[in-house]
């Protein structure tokens, strides 16, 4: 489904040198015995998810599609990025689907929140509020505002049928609210953390509402689980990729830049930045995950990548066949000098941009480049890709002797902010 071409800067012997570590860590993942072991539920999830729950999500998604024009997905971090990444990657940035999806709860921005609320006034919208802890401030404020608007417009009773929550099975303020109000609730399993939750109702319910084939996504993930639960380093591209990250970190490249040539995949890079950044960036260790969308960013960051401080390597996700394509037309005057491209597809031009840039960055710029090649990005392949990266992240973090599943560092700003806001106990 996906192919990996590792940078030529890594030798086969460099990869094989990790064999013992890989065997040890793969065992830790499978037997759930490493640090953070109570958050390894995602590893077996593609085989163990509840099929009835998936059917229920598809049924509820149909209800949302039949009865509303907009779905507001309210969440942040792992309760937001995966759904948005998949939605944009599969449905594009100018989707004409009958259900519009709007994301909220991922910011305190007064401009954004006020604009969304204004836009929603008078429209038929449903809400999917997503929070594992149920206490995340950005999400809670947005949900309070959305709920208030909805209840004002359609009343409390009708709102009960328009609000669906995804949260912990029993803990947290959102769960209590759902119990009190009688909202339909999907569960984020206790042993799966936010940034590993895209294949649970956290990601799947909004995606089902968007008309995406969530069964195919899970099928892709299942294939990936089978393929990457292996210590054969000649074959397992997931671990080969993870090892390359460790190798580059130890060889003077502390920044990994995720590159795509599709603007609709830039949120995949955002999801990757959270996955790897929050999983690995601890104890003064880890690669810094950055991202760029080419060719757009070749006209900005491209200069630095080519000639600047040599601190990064690239991981390029190259999708060969786009969902849509368009031919370059003939022009009688040819004043722009583009007739040499007449009749050519934009996909062809984009691929040549990729090939030319790869040569420039690797040969002239000395930037190591890994390439993940995908022929066509559909729901199944994306499910596969999500699992590929989650498994690679666990391997990569364990190689650094880091717990990939906690995020102690994010509490510091919250404490300060709560103190400044006058929250009780801070
Ligand atoms: O990966 C994580 O655990 C975090 O990014 C969380 O998903 C994020 O902080 C949102 O948390 P919650 O779902 O509890 O609102």
């Amino acid at each position: 489904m996906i192919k990996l071409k590792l940078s030529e800067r890594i030798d086969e012997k460099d990869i094989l040198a990790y064999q013992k570590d890989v065997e040890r860590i793969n065992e830790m993942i499978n037997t759930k015995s490493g640090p953070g072991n109570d958050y390894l539920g995602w590893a077996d999830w593609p085989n163990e998810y509840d099929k009835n729950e998936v059917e229920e999500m598809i049924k509820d998604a149909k209800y949302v599609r039949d009865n509303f024009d907009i779905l507001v997905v309210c969440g942040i971090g792992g309760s937001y990025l995966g759904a948005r990444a998949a939605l944009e990657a599969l449905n594009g940035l100018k989707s004409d689907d009958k259900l519009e999806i709007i994301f909220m709860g991922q910011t305190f921005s007064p401009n954004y929140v006020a604009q969304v609320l204004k836009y929603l006034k008078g429209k038929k919208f449903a809400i999917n509020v997503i929070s594992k802890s149920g206490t995340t401030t950005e999400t809670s404020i947005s949900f309070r505002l959305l709920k208030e608007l909805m209840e004002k417009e359609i009343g409390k009773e009708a709102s009960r049928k328009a609000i669906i929550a995804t949260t912990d099975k029993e803990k947290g303020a959102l769960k209590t609210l759902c119990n009190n109000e009688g909202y339909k609730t999907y569960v984020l399993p206790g042993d799966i953390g936010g940034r590993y939750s895209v294949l649970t109702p956290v990601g799947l319910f909004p995606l089902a509402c968007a008309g995406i084939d969530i069964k195919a996504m899970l099928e892709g993930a299942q294939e990936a689980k089978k393929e990457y639960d292996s210590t054969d380093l000649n074959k397992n591209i997931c671990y080969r990729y993870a090892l390359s990250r460790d190798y580059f970190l130890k060889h003077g490249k502390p920044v990994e830049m995720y590159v795509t040539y599709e603007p609709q995949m830039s949120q995949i890079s955002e999801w990757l930045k959270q996955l790897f950044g929050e999983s690995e960036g601890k104890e003064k260790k880890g690669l810094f995950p950055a991202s760029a969308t080419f060719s757009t960013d070749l006209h900005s960051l491209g200069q630095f990548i080519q000639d600047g401080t040599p601190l990064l390597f690239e991981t390029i996700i190259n999708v060969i066949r786009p969902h849509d394509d368009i031919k370059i037309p003939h022009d009688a005057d040819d004043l722009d000098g583009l007739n040499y491209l007449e009749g050519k597809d934009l996909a062809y031009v984009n691929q040549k941009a990729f090939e030319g840039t790869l040569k420039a960055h690797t040969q002239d710029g000395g930037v190591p480049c890994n390439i993940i090649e995908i022929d066509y990005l559909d729901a199944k392949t994306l499910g596969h890709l999500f699992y590929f990266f989650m498994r690679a992240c666990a391997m990569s973090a364990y190689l650094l002797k880091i717990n990939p599943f906690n995020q102690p560092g994010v509490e510091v700003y919250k404490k300060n902010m709560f103190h400044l806001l006058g929250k009780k106990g801070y």
Side-chain angles (χ1 to χ4, degrees):
M1 258 199 168
I2 65 177
K3 289 185 195 147
L4 173 74
K5 188 166 181 287
L6 280 188
S7 160
E8 279 156 12
R9 297 273 285 275
I10 316 169
D11 285 337
E12 216 39 42
K13 68 169 179 6
D14 297 323
I15 293 289
L16 297 178
Y18 283 98
Q19 185 66 47
K20 282 215 154 53
D21 283 329
V22 167
E23 281 167 21
R24 179 179 53 83
I25 295 170
N26 192 55
E27 177 74 4
M28 271 163 60
I29 295 173
N30 283 340
T31 56
K32 299 191 173 40
S33 53
N37 54 351
D38 42 353
Y39 282 96
L40 268 155
W42 58 270
D44 295 329
W45 182 256
N47 292 335
E48 290 185 353
Y49 71 89
D50 179 353
K51 291 203 170 57
N52 293 331
E53 187 182 52
V54 170
E55 294 303 335
E56 204 177 317
M57 281 192 274
I58 292 169
K59 195 179 94 227
D60 285 344
K62 185 174 177 326
Y63 174 80
V64 170
R65 288 179 73 76
D66 289 347
N67 290 281
F68 301 95
D69 298 323
I70 300 172
L71 173 70
V72 186
V73 180
C74 184
I76 193 168
S79 293
Y80 150 68
L81 284 159
R84 178 152 179 205
L87 177 77
E88 292 191 5
L90 297 174
N91 284 8
L93 294 173
K94 300 277 175 221
S95 168
D96 56 4
D97 188 52
K98 67 174 186 162
L99 185 79
E100 185 183 359
I101 309 274
I102 296 178
F103 290 93
M104 204 168 143
Q106 81 282 31
T107 177
F108 291 126
S109 160
N111 287 317
Y112 183 77
V113 172
Q115 265 179 20
V116 173
L117 291 172
K118 207 162 124 195
Y119 180 78
L120 291 172
K121 259 191 200 142
K123 300 201 169 86
K124 276 168 78 179
F125 67 97
I127 304 168
N128 180 204
V129 54
I130 309 173
S131 176
K132 182 169 186 185
S133 62
T135 53
T136 302
T137 317
E138 289 88 340
T139 305
S140 302
I141 292 177
S142 278
F143 181 55
R144 181 185 277 213
L145 290 162
L146 285 164
K147 182 173 173 289
E148 184 192 56
L149 172 67
M150 184 181 265
E151 287 179 351
K152 229 188 250 165
E153 300 221 332
I154 62 169
K156 232 174 159 26
E157 198 47 45
S159 296
R160 284 199 181 99
K161 293 201 192 99
I163 297 175
I164 294 150
T166 308
T167 188
D168 187 81
K169 199 171 168 197
E170 49 215 7
K171 292 192 304 269
L174 180 59
K175 181 62 192 162
T176 312
L177 184 76
C178 292
N179 288 346
N180 292 348
E181 299 281 2
Y183 298 147
K184 171 76 186 260
T185 310
Y186 282 107
V187 173
L188 170 56
D191 60 354
I192 300 182
R195 57 191 176 275
Y196 295 82
S197 71
V198 61
L199 298 167
T200 73
V202 169
L204 295 187
F205 182 63
L207 294 173
C209 290
I212 288 167
D213 185 349
I214 59 171
K215 284 186 186 166
M217 279 187 84
L218 287 161
E219 226 177 276
Q222 200 171 32
E223 266 186 23
K225 148 95 180 122
K226 200 165 156 211
E227 201 172 320
Y228 305 135
D229 180 3
S230 153
T231 54
D232 182 348
L233 288 180
N234 294 311
K235 287 202 189 126
N236 188 342
I237 59 170
C238 170
Y239 288 166
R240 286 173 70 84
Y241 162 65
L243 302 179
S244 78
R245 302 181 81 252
D246 193 70
Y247 176 88
F248 284 128
L249 179 60
K250 288 173 180 153
H251 289 80
K253 305 286 178 197
V255 177
E256 177 176 28
M257 178 165 275
Y258 292 105
V259 172
T260 75
Y261 280 75
E262 275 296 346
Q264 70 185 43
M265 287 183 70
S266 63
Q267 289 296 322
I268 297 274
S269 301
E270 295 306 312
W271 177 81
L272 284 166
K273 277 150 71 174
Q274 189 213 2
L275 178 68
F276 284 97
E278 216 169 48
S279 297
E280 243 181 27
K282 289 159 209 168
E283 303 169 28
K284 310 294 172 208
K285 296 187 214 168
L287 285 155
F288 181 81
S291 69
T293 305
F294 293 167
S295 68
T296 313
D297 291 334
L298 291 173
H299 298 256
S300 67
L301 281 176
Q303 172 60 39
F304 187 99
I305 299 167
Q306 187 74 41
D307 285 340
T309 315
L311 44 66
L312 61 89
F313 69 97
E314 293 175 38
T315 294
I316 305 158
I317 305 177
N318 182 32
V319 181
I320 308 288
R321 288 189 296 130
H323 296 145
D324 276 318
D325 206 353
I326 197 148
K327 282 196 194 309
I328 297 167
H330 173 78
D331 184 272
D333 298 330
D334 195 27
L335 292 177
D336 52 14
L338 285 175
N339 274 357
Y340 80 103
L341 289 175
E342 106 178 47
K344 293 269 192 292
D345 298 327
L346 274 184
Y348 167 82
V349 179
N350 212 20
Q351 279 304 311
K352 293 300 155 199
F354 157 69
E355 287 164 27
T357 307
L358 183 66
K359 190 164 177 227
H361 287 184
T362 50
Q363 292 183 15
D364 303 282
V367 180
C369 291
N370 290 330
I371 303 164
I372 293 172
E373 189 184 288
I374 297 171
D375 177 49
Y376 184 79
L377 193 69
D378 55 13
K380 190 172 172 189
T381 312
L382 188 56
H384 184 113
L385 192 69
F386 278 138
Y387 191 89
F388 170 94
F389 280 121
M390 291 192 288
R391 189 114 190 171
C393 185
M395 173 57 68
S396 186
Y398 278 149
L399 280 169
L400 292 172
K401 299 192 169 51
I402 280 171
N403 174 356
F405 308 117
N406 63 2
Q407 52 283 329
V410 298
E411 296 309 315
V412 186
Y413 95 88
K414 287 187 195 166
K415 274 191 196 144
N416 293 345
M417 180 183 73
F418 291 148
H419 174 73
L420 293 168
L421 288 171
K423 188 172 176 175
K424 221 170 143 196
Y426 290 85

